[in-house]
Amino acid sequence: MLPSDMHFIERGWLSSNSLLLSGPDDTVLVDSGYHTHAEQTLALLHHALRGRSLNRLINTHLHSDHCGGNAAVQASWPTVHTSIPPGCAEAVRHWDEEALTYKPTGQSCPRFSFDDVLQPGTQLLAGGRTWDIHAAPGHDPDSVLLFQPDTGVLLSADALWENGFGVVFPEIYGEPGFDDVGHTLDLIERLQPTTIVPGHGRVFADVSGALVRARERLKVFTEQPLKHASHAAKVLIKFHLMAIQGCPIESLLDWTQASGYLTTLHRVHFHAQPLREWAGSLMEALIRSGVLARQDDWVVNV
Ligand SMILES: [Zn+2]
């Protein structure tokens, strides 16, 4: 489905997908996964590069599962040129873990640096091809999409998956985000991509089917924001368990009380119930749906 100069790397959901672009004159990595997978990221990259050096590293957005491997990549290829979306530049320069979401999500991301920004409305020469950079707010206000018109390949990040899209982060901290999700879906439709490399999940070609499913999901969230709030809280808990694999239930409940986004979601939407009780009910729901499991007084990832 992808041209042979585009090497796709997919690993579960903790790490975002990565794409290695190999042109005659340069090699470019898009997104680097979560930091706990950094060693595997480097091994997969060395294998795919077949002796070539990595020239450039770019990120669609700076959630920890998309740029957690940046520091390891920069240490491995010290001359790599790193480009990030412009909205995050100041936060990365000062390593503001609040603005970069690592603190309020309770996630971690080793510090990295950048050389320039991916300005929406401009083009990027990468892997011997020209890519159009588009702003793609919604899931993340600063995310960008990369579209390659000759091949019809779109890197959609977490704006569009085969089944849905990523949690709408602005809605977590009380800013509107659903309209932006809709506008970004409209943009994707206008671009008429033939192949989508999503931020998570397999590469797919049924773009119109994915757009229908995403719009249905967006409609549910827009009409019932509580559903999105509850979904977002479960995603944060599941992500934490994917990262640590398992912990005593009491430790998980302690962690939820220290997570800024979970306490915000609770304060805004679910304050009728005590925080710890609410978090416990989310965990139980995740266990019932089979994405977490209980082992004695521990909760573990499935
Ligand atoms: Zn994301």
Side-chain angles (χ1 to χ4, degrees):
M1 215 185 287
L2 285 173
S4 60
D5 55 329
M6 299 182 192
H7 181 88
F8 177 63
I9 299 172
E10 181 189 3
R11 294 167 287 172
W13 280 73
L14 179 63
S15 277
S16 71
N17 293 330
S18 297
L19 194 69
L20 178 66
L21 312 172
S22 301
D25 303 317
D26 66 338
T27 57
V28 180
L29 177 70
V30 184
D31 288 339
S32 62
Y34 196 58
H35 79 98
T36 50
H37 285 166
E39 218 169 288
Q40 186 191 45
T41 304
L42 295 181
L44 289 165
L45 266 176
H46 277 289
H47 181 74
L49 282 164
R50 292 197 218 125
R52 294 183 72 180
S53 179
L54 183 68
N55 304 122
R56 194 162 186 171
L57 168 63
I58 65 185
N59 295 113
T60 56
H61 63 301
L62 297 186
H63 284 160
S64 66
D65 53 333
H66 289 254
C67 64
N70 279 19
V73 167
Q74 291 180 341
S76 230
W77 290 277
T79 58
V80 76
H81 184 96
T82 304
S83 308
I84 61 171
C88 309
E90 275 311 294
V92 172
R93 194 169 283 128
H94 304 293
W95 204 247
D96 178 351
E97 294 202 304
E98 189 73 37
L100 290 167
T101 75
Y102 312 139
K103 201 175 235 171
T105 53
Q107 298 168 8
S108 46
C109 181
R111 185 169 186 167
F112 60 87
S113 59
F114 71 100
D115 300 292
D116 64 4
V117 297
L118 300 166
Q119 196 64 52
T122 67
Q123 292 181 320
L124 170 79
L125 273 170
R129 297 180 188 272
T130 304
W131 296 78
D132 297 333
I133 304 169
H134 295 276
H139 162 69
D140 177 277
D142 300 313
S143 186
V144 296
L145 299 177
L146 296 170
F147 182 55
Q148 211 293 308
D150 309 320
T151 54
V153 173
L154 174 74
L155 275 58
S156 65
D158 296 342
L160 179 65
W161 297 335
E162 191 170 15
N163 282 299
F165 47 82
V167 163
V168 186
F169 272 66
E171 292 282 341
I172 294 181
Y173 46 79
E175 285 174 20
F178 295 142
D179 283 353
D180 279 340
V181 171
H183 294 147
T184 294
L185 294 176
D186 294 345
L187 164 69
I188 291 174
E189 187 165 47
R190 283 199 304 278
L191 294 174
Q192 297 186 294
T194 50
T195 304
I196 291 197
V197 179
H200 298 267
R202 64 180 184 176
V203 174
F204 62 92
D206 179 14
V207 181
S208 52
L211 284 168
V212 167
R213 289 187 290 276
R215 285 177 173 139
E216 278 169 4
R217 196 172 177 77
L218 177 62
K219 188 167 182 285
V220 171
F221 287 157
T222 306
E223 290 172 358
Q224 302 169 72
L226 269 187
K227 278 204 170 161
H228 177 264
S230 183
H231 166 70
K234 285 182 192 164
V235 167
L236 289 167
I237 292 173
K238 169 67 178 172
F239 189 92
H240 180 60
L241 263 301
M242 283 195 296
I244 65 167
Q245 287 301 308
C247 68
I249 289 172
E250 287 306 308
S251 307
L252 175 67
L253 297 179
D254 291 344
W255 174 84
T256 61
Q257 289 184 297
S259 156
Y261 282 165
L262 280 170
T263 55
T264 301
L265 284 165
H266 173 260
R267 191 181 64 247
V268 176
H269 299 285
F270 304 100
H271 55 266
Q273 207 178 4
L275 172 59
R276 216 175 167 83
E277 197 180 301
W278 171 68
S281 70
L282 294 173
M283 182 195 72
E284 295 295 344
L286 289 165
I287 292 171
R288 275 198 305 280
S289 56
V291 297
L292 296 181
R294 186 198 304 274
Q295 282 177 4
D296 302 319
D297 56 351
W298 274 54
V299 56
V300 296
N301 188 45
V302 174

